[in-house]
Amino acid sequence: MSTPRIDVVSIFPEYLAPLDLSLVGKARTSGLVDLRVHDLRDVTTDRHRTVDDAPFGGGAGMVMRPDVWLRAIEATAQHRPDPSAEPTTDPREVLVLVPTPSGVPLTQATLADLATTLASPDVRAVITCGRYEGIDARLVERLADTPGVRAVHELSLGDYVLNGGEVAALAMIEGVVRLLPGVLGNPESVVEESFSQPLLEYPVYTRPADWDGFEVPAVLTSGHHGAVQRWRRDVALTRTARRRPALLRELAVADLDVRDRAVLAEAGVVVGRDGRLLGPVRVRPAAPDDAARLADVAAITFPLACPDSTTLGEVRAHVAEHLSVASFEAHLADPEHLVLVLEDHDGELLGYALVLVGAAQGDGAPVGVDGQDCLAELSKLYLLPRARGTGLAGTLMDAALAAARGRGVAAVWLGTNAANAAAQRRYARHGFAVVGTRTYVVGGAEHSDVVMLTRFGPTPGGVAD
């Protein structure tokens, strides 16, 4: 079995000296990996050892020449054990890795694939460390059609620019080599690391258990293996939801247990009706530039809340009169209208709530209720279909009631269709009780509503919240 081989080409070969250190250096010394560093200027043909030239089309900086780079990559196949020996040619196909900010993001999965590829006996890797404004783009095109080249991968460490590819090369090599067979003393440590699954790693601790007043979480010293594993899983889920929520999209929802779902829900991540994770979500006050998106959500959600007897014409007339962009602009401009939006971490609106305070309330406000002047109406609370059944309606409701309470109101009322028993049950779970009825008009047609109300209790000091 051949030793995995990685060649690195750079105009600053000394930059790669750290490859002799730590685990990579040990792997190199013990023969677990064959790492070779080459000077790009060794294949130049002019006395100035030129590797770059001015860019076509103008612009700042210099561009590295494709002909020089092709010769350098081809030259890595030649190996001379000592100056007196004849060079030998490595017959393996070449996997060319090109570090560039415009490349595909380098991930743990990519590193694992590279490690698997390099462990095979018929492939080796060459990493090209570009400088200046980069390497002439024709090199990648040319290599794609070059015999002996298995593939070319342009890879990026992240959305930032470095002076050259050497730092990226070091990162790639360290990430790949540690995954090669025999390099890590405890192979299980790879399984629990961040990104080995779509979760960030849990925090780790060591002695002393109490350091400068900071104590290790008690569960880690309990000796209860199951509790430790559960704590680590909980923290990993929460960390990922807060710091790298996009990773959660790769989680297999079917594999989440009840506790997993509860932990994610606490972090604002729920399983949507389509079976995919939704969130993290947040509720915030709507901004003036949300009017158009609010109208779009309203146009989708209002018809779904209407009784089956409501005609399409009635729905359209109501939406045009009360749920247009202009209507929401008016709501957002009125200080007595509280508009809250529920959105995911990508900024997509999933629902909204409208609370009308004081004189802004609509018809049907409860009569004869103590503190009537301190009432507010929960006029609207709607969610897109994929967010329903997730508990997010409760999240939005809690935020709407808190916003009303923040305005000093003593109670909040709402009207909901008399035939919608499911909605009435949902509102009842939030403390609403039926206190009356009203007639509600949709597109000129009258519908029967029940009026429900919830009161805010006094604070311990005897003053209403």
Side-chain angles (χ1 to χ4, degrees):
M1 181 177 177
S2 60
T3 302
R5 176 178 168 184
I6 303 174
D7 293 88
V8 189
V9 184
S10 167
I11 60 171
F12 297 118
E14 299 85 358
Y15 211 124
L16 286 304
L19 294 176
D20 287 327
L21 304 175
S22 190
L23 283 175
V24 175
K26 291 179 180 178
R28 198 175 185 183
T29 301
S30 60
L32 294 174
V33 64
D34 182 1
L35 285 175
R36 308 181 190 183
V37 179
H38 309 267
D39 189 338
L40 177 65
R41 297 188 190 277
D42 287 346
V43 298
T44 56
T45 57
D46 66 308
R47 64 189 182 92
H48 297 293
R49 306 182 76 195
T50 304
V51 298
D52 59 345
D53 210 328
F56 283 118
M62 303 290 280
V63 177
M64 303 193 89
R65 294 173 54 117
D67 54 337
V68 177
W69 270 107
L70 182 61
R71 286 198 301 272
I73 293 169
E74 292 174 340
T76 61
Q78 302 300 314
H79 178 56
R80 192 189 301 270
D82 62 75
S84 62
E86 288 294 319
T88 58
T89 301
D90 193 317
R92 286 177 282 192
E93 288 188 307
V94 179
L95 180 66
V96 181
L97 307 177
V98 183
T100 170
S102 59
V104 175
L106 181 68
T107 65
Q108 188 66 26
T110 305
L111 293 172
D113 288 343
L114 291 174
T116 300
T117 301
L118 291 176
S120 68
D122 56 351
V123 181
R124 64 186 178 90
V126 175
I127 303 178
T128 63
C129 298
R131 282 268 160 176
Y132 316 128
E133 296 303 308
I135 303 172
D136 187 305
R138 290 171 295 177
L139 176 70
V140 171
E141 298 176 25
R142 173 70 166 76
L143 289 172
D145 296 324
T146 298
V149 175
R150 168 73 64 92
V152 182
H153 296 307
E154 296 181 277
L155 299 170
S156 169
L157 288 191
D159 296 335
Y160 48 86
V161 178
L162 303 171
N163 288 331
E166 288 78 12
V167 169
L170 289 171
M172 290 179 191
I173 292 170
E174 182 155 318
V176 168
V177 169
R178 64 194 306 276
L179 299 179
L180 295 175
V183 173
L184 287 181
N186 182 6
E188 291 185 4
S189 63
V190 174
V191 178
E192 296 187 354
E193 291 175 331
S194 293
F195 312 117
S196 57
Q197 53 182 327
L199 291 175
L200 299 180
E201 191 175 7
Y202 50 80
V204 294
Y205 302 86
T206 189
R207 293 181 178 84
D210 185 336
W211 170 71
D212 203 22
F214 292 86
E215 295 184 359
V216 171
V219 66
L220 299 181
T221 60
S222 67
H224 192 308
H225 181 70
V228 170
Q229 292 301 106
R230 183 66 257 180
W231 179 86
R232 287 174 170 172
R233 173 77 172 175
D234 290 352
V235 176
L237 288 166
T238 302
R239 268 189 166 187
T240 306
R242 291 175 177 171
R243 299 180 182 182
R244 295 288 301 279
L247 291 175
L248 295 176
R249 296 172 183 168
E250 301 174 31
L251 274 179
V253 174
D255 295 338
L256 298 175
D257 60 26
V258 173
R259 175 61 183 172
D260 289 338
R261 294 182 181 225
V263 170
L264 288 172
E266 290 174 6
V269 179
V270 297
V271 179
R273 278 199 168 182
D274 57 3
R276 294 182 297 178
L277 288 177
L278 183 65
V281 298
R282 67 166 182 161
V283 179
R284 63 168 175 81
D289 59 1
D290 288 321
R293 293 195 297 164
L294 284 163
D296 289 340
V297 172
I300 295 171
T301 56
F302 177 75
L304 301 176
C306 292
D308 293 339
S309 59
T310 310
T311 68
L312 180 60
E314 291 168 352
V315 170
R316 286 177 173 173
H318 184 86
V319 169
E321 182 178 359
H322 299 288
L323 300 173
S324 64
V325 175
S327 297
F328 280 104
E329 288 175 341
H331 288 312
L332 294 170
D334 192 324
E336 291 192 323
H337 294 203
L338 305 177
V339 186
L340 302 177
V341 296
L342 177 77
E343 65 181 6
D344 66 12
H345 73 282
D346 291 325
E348 180 185 356
L349 263 59
L350 302 174
Y352 75 99
L354 172 63
V355 179
L356 306 177
V357 181
Q361 299 170 75
D363 295 333
V367 177
V369 176
D370 292 339
Q372 180 175 349
D373 292 339
C374 296
L375 287 178
E377 177 191 2
L378 179 57
S379 175
K380 296 175 178 59
L381 193 150
Y382 293 119
L383 266 67
L384 290 176
R386 69 188 185 94
R388 293 183 177 182
T390 63
L392 292 179
T395 300
L396 186 55
M397 171 68 79
D398 290 341
L401 294 179
R405 183 178 299 190
R407 288 294 184 94
V409 303
V412 173
W413 68 276
L414 59 85
T416 187
N417 190 269
N420 194 341
Q424 293 168 41
R425 287 193 297 269
R426 288 195 298 270
Y427 293 132
R429 288 196 291 269
H430 284 272
F432 284 86
V434 176
V435 294
T437 61
R438 72 168 182 174
T439 298
Y440 188 67
V441 178
V442 177
E446 291 187 349
H447 297 267
S448 296
D449 277 4
V450 295
V451 176
M452 305 181 72
L453 178 136
T454 185
R455 294 179 175 87
F456 298 137
T459 62
V463 180
D465 288 347

